[in-house]
């Protein structure tokens, strides 16, 4: 399984010096669960261009991941020509995590398993998870000790603290437009900020 607990990965490797060094590395990387994200409204949705800007991905990536069911919008899926996807805060958090895993060379198959694992978690739980990876496998850590065990054993080459990613997404979305799901259903499909809508308009005019 791509996502597994880091606990017990380094049994017998209790070198105090190595452990303290691993603890310092984890602290410097912000992996020790010091983030306390705020709870956001679950009825606020974000259109494709906003989700892309907050997650740091292209619209083509967003569209491909939605069509292949890697990360689908949970507030509203595209339904027919001209309809707009609406992503939740949690969706955008996962989009940003996927982008980081891809950038570090983790395979799409492993990422799919990791994403499915995250889907099974509650929003509050996500903020208390650190994902560690050696570029091949992805490990879930839910305590500082698990993070340190992986680092001192050399298995966790890099880590992604979801609480920190949460803060980053939260900060990005504060500057970007969102809309309540009930209101979004009444907004015309050709939203001026939507890339596909702009292309359709350009084809009609041209």
């Amino acid at each position: 399984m791509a996502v597994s607990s880091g606990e017990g990965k380094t049994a017998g490797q209790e070198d105090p010096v190595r452990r303290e060094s691993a603890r310092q590395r984890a602290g410097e990387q912000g992996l020790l669960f010091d983030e306390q994200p705020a709870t956001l409204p679950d009825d606020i949705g974000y259109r494709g261009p906003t989700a892309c800007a907050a997650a740091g991905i292209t619209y083509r990536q967003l569209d491909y991941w939605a069509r292949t069911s890697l990360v689908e919008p949970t507030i509203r899926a595209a339904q027919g020509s001209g309809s707009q996807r609406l992503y939740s805060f949690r969706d955008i958090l996962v989009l940003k995590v996927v982008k980081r895993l891809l950038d570090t060379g983790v395979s799409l198959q492993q990422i799919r398993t990791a994403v499915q694992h995250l889907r099974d978690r509650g929003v509050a739980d996500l903020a208390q998870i650190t994902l560690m990876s050696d570029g091949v496998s992805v490990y879930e850590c839910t305590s500082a000790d698990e993070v340190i065990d992986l680092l001192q054993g050399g298995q966790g080459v890099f880590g992604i603290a979801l609480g920190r990613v949460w803060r980053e997404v939260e900060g990005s979305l504060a500057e970007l437009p969102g809309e309540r799901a009930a209101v979004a259903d009444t907004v015309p499909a050709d939203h001026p900020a939507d890339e596909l809508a702009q292309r359709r308009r350009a084809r009609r005019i041209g």
Side-chain angles (χ1 to χ4, degrees):
M1 183 175 182
V3 176
S4 58
S5 170
E7 187 175 7
K9 294 288 181 183
T10 56
Q13 298 182 14
E14 288 300 322
D15 184 324
V17 176
R18 290 183 64 188
R19 187 168 183 81
E20 181 56 31
S21 174
R23 180 179 291 278
Q24 290 177 359
R25 286 171 57 200
E28 291 169 358
Q29 296 176 50
L31 303 178
L32 296 183
F33 309 95
D34 58 350
E35 300 289 338
Q36 296 295 328
T39 300
L40 298 178
D42 57 6
D43 61 342
I44 299 295
Y46 303 91
R47 291 177 180 270
T50 299
C52 290
I57 62 175
T58 66
Y59 199 92
R60 178 171 294 184
Q61 286 176 309
L62 182 81
D63 184 59
Y64 178 73
W65 294 349
R67 287 188 290 105
T68 59
S69 301
L70 178 59
V71 184
E72 298 177 284
T74 57
I75 292 185
R76 187 178 66 202
Q79 299 175 342
S81 178
S83 64
Q84 301 301 312
R85 301 183 183 103
L86 210 58
Y87 289 82
S88 68
F89 178 90
R90 177 193 175 93
D91 297 334
I92 298 173
L93 176 70
V94 175
L95 286 169
K96 194 172 184 75
V97 170
V98 169
K99 173 65 161 53
R100 290 194 176 180
L101 290 173
L102 282 173
D103 287 347
T104 52
V106 179
S107 72
L108 196 58
Q109 181 180 0
Q110 294 282 11
I111 291 174
R112 284 188 181 278
T113 305
V115 168
Q116 183 58 52
H117 184 77
L118 292 179
R119 283 175 180 158
D120 296 335
R121 291 287 198 170
V123 171
D125 286 339
L126 288 183
Q128 300 303 318
I129 290 175
T130 290
L131 295 179
M132 304 291 291
S133 178
D134 53 9
V136 178
S137 298
V138 180
Y139 305 95
E140 174 199 346
C141 298
T142 55
S143 75
D145 285 341
E146 290 178 353
V147 174
I148 293 166
D149 284 347
L150 283 173
L151 285 175
Q152 89 164 344
Q155 291 172 284
V157 176
F158 72 93
I160 303 174
L162 299 197
R164 176 163 290 195
V165 177
W166 183 304
R167 287 294 193 192
E168 293 173 5
V169 173
E170 188 177 41
S172 298
L173 291 178
E175 306 297 327
L176 296 168
E179 52 199 65
R180 294 198 175 277
V183 175
D185 291 336
T186 66
V187 177
D190 279 0
H191 190 278
D194 186 82
E195 182 179 327
L196 295 183
Q198 292 173 354
R199 291 177 183 174
R200 285 194 295 271
R201 282 195 295 274
R203 284 200 297 270
R204 288 200 295 266
I205 295 172

